[in-house]
Amino acid sequence: MRVLAIDTALSNCAAAVLDDGKDTACFDSIGEEIGRGHAERLMDMIGEVMAETSTAFSDLDRVAVTVGPGSFTGLRVGLSVARGFGLVLGKPVVGITTLAAIARSSAPRDAGGPLLVALTGKGEEVYCQEFTPFGDTIGDAAVRTLSDLAATTSKRIRLAGSAADSVASSLGLPLEQIVSRSAFPGIREVAELGLLADPVICTPSPLYLRPPDATPQTRGRIERQ
């Protein structure tokens, strides 16, 4: 199976083509930590990995795209492009969470404690999800505060993600329990999860864990009769 993977959810902008076939196996990726400007860079990156792997769009079996948690603007860019390809090509598009992709690359794969992937949010908030030591999900993704995590999280937990240091400090954990400080997922892990994902379950819908900060304007509005 050949998949095009796209990630624009956080500060990174990346694309990859991965094929796990015995006779057609290939992988090529490109990524850049740009902060903003995903829309201006993404299509060039896709064109580059498609060319490097000699892949025509008709060769793709599916498209995988990160669905969050992430920035509102970044998510819209990746999801719009992925959905557009899926519609034109008639191929499934699967959504991969940034937390699951980070867990896949960071999971210790041993008999130790579980893994908490935590990304920096606003103030004391973190976007987080717990995984087994092998990267399988345990609970749902959620917004938690550092104080809440400190009161409810096992001291055996291992940590990954951009908020790992903050969580470790709140829980009083040694730095040895931080296995990764990744601020964004690796595009290869997004592609690998894209190959495994069930299109019926892993839909390309944005994962928003908190409502937007903007609120509808009410002053000066004319009420409808």
Side-chain angles (χ1 to χ4, degrees):
M1 183 185 296
R2 185 164 295 203
V3 60
L4 169 66
I6 296 169
D7 173 37
T8 59
L10 294 162
S11 60
N12 205 41
C13 183
V17 170
L18 174 65
D19 192 319
D20 64 348
K22 182 178 179 181
D23 299 320
T24 57
C26 67
F27 174 74
D28 192 75
S29 67
I30 183 171
E32 183 180 351
E33 190 172 358
I34 60 175
R36 297 182 179 181
H38 297 82
E40 291 74 21
R41 293 287 291 117
L42 180 60
M43 292 305 297
D44 287 341
M45 290 183 174
I46 291 173
E48 184 170 332
V49 295
M50 297 286 283
E52 287 294 324
T53 55
S54 300
T55 300
F57 282 101
S58 58
D59 297 331
L60 295 173
D61 295 296
R62 62 173 50 178
V63 180
V65 61
T66 47
V67 296
S71 73
F72 178 77
T73 302
L75 288 175
R76 284 196 304 173
V77 171
L79 285 166
S80 296
V81 170
R83 289 168 175 167
F85 283 150
L87 182 63
V88 171
L89 300 173
K91 300 296 175 67
V93 180
V94 294
I96 307 300
T97 73
T98 53
L99 299 171
I102 292 174
R104 184 174 179 84
S105 63
S106 305
R109 293 176 174 78
D110 58 18
L115 176 71
L116 182 75
V117 179
L119 298 175
T120 304
K122 290 183 175 293
E124 267 212 342
E125 291 180 345
V126 296
Y127 307 107
C128 60
Q129 188 172 14
E130 195 169 322
F131 297 84
T132 70
F134 294 91
D136 300 314
T137 57
I138 294 177
D140 294 331
V143 180
R144 305 277 300 278
T145 63
L146 292 173
S147 54
D148 178 43
L149 286 171
T152 60
T153 305
S154 166
K155 298 294 184 180
R156 296 180 63 246
I157 200 80
R158 268 87 65 86
L159 303 170
S162 57
D165 283 291
S166 297
V167 176
S169 177
S170 295
L171 271 66
L173 300 179
L175 295 182
E176 289 75 15
Q177 287 181 230
I178 297 177
V179 297
S180 168
R181 294 178 172 85
S182 299
F184 48 82
I187 192 62
R188 178 162 192 130
E189 284 71 32
V190 175
E192 290 174 350
L193 288 171
L195 290 174
L196 299 171
D198 181 347
V200 175
I201 299 173
C202 302
T203 58
S205 302
L207 177 63
Y208 296 132
L209 297 181
R210 69 192 306 274
D213 293 326
T215 56
Q217 182 177 347
T218 56
R219 294 182 60 187
R221 293 179 59 184
I222 299 175
E223 294 188 8
R224 298 190 180 192
Q225 302 295 323

